[in-house]
Amino acid sequence: MAKVVPGRFTARIEGPFVVFIIGMRVNRLWAFHKWVPVATAMGGMLKELYEHPELGFLGNSSHMNMREVTQIQYWRSYEHLEKYARGSHNHLTAWKKFNQSIGSDGTVGIFHETYLVEAGKYECLYGNMPVWGLAKAGEHLPAVGMRETARRRLGGQNEPAVPTPPQ
């Protein structure tokens, strides 16, 4: 289990970056032979990405519920993400197998969302959390001074005075 870091923290990453959310949904629970290969394919891709930082992958977090597996990934640029999607043997093999085995039969759903984030146009806070999300992909910093509030983290200079809650 990840170590909890007490206190308030934020994250910083230099320059623009990409948030890529990708996942699968099991639509027919008993069709194990269909969804297990889809669920396990991500492992090989993540191994490849972590072993080759030049591919532009910065980090990820995984989330599961009853029917879905979701990855939140951070990439250096859209160009890195697209080059990986179009050129990785692991990704292309998984995609080909998905289309051959499942295609549009409805047993497994897949999804992704891509967000291009401009430098400094993001804000995050982690309170009493392990190093997580963007802080794991970039820098994990105390949320103090100019990083103390959401407005300050977004570069706001003229923040209205807000009473500090009692400790």
Side-chain angles (χ1 to χ4, degrees), residues 72-151:
I72 302 172
Q73 299 181 351
Y74 301 91
W75 290 77
R76 174 50 45 217
S77 69
Y78 179 75
E79 290 72 26
H80 283 103
L81 172 60
E82 183 180 42
K83 184 176 180 182
Y84 182 78
R86 294 179 182 273
S88 161
H89 173 73
N90 284 340
H91 179 263
L92 293 174
T93 299
W95 186 236
K96 182 179 177 182
K97 285 181 181 178
F98 176 86
N99 283 310
Q100 288 171 341
S101 173
I102 296 160
S104 60
D105 75 7
T107 57
V108 178
I110 56 172
F111 59 91
H112 78 254
E113 298 177 0
T114 307
Y115 302 94
L116 309 179
V117 183
E118 294 178 39
K121 299 292 185 182
Y122 60 91
E123 175 291 310
C124 46
L125 178 73
Y126 313 99
N128 303 320
M129 287 283 296
V131 178
W132 193 90
L134 188 61
K136 192 173 172 184
E139 292 180 82
H140 185 243
L141 302 166
V144 296
M146 287 306 294
R147 295 185 298 265
E148 189 171 0
T149 66
R151 183 181 296 271

Side-chain angles (χ1 to χ4, degrees), residues 24 29 39 52 55 104 114 125:
M24 61 165 278
L29 290 174
H52 297 281
L55 295 173
S104 60
T114 307
L125 178 73

Side-chain angles (χ1 to χ4, degrees), residues 21-24 61-65 68-72 111:
I21 302 171
I22 184 168
M24 61 165 278
S61 60
S62 302
H63 311 276
M64 290 188 289
N65 66 31
E68 293 175 9
V69 177
T70 304
Q71 289 263 324
I72 302 172
F111 59 91

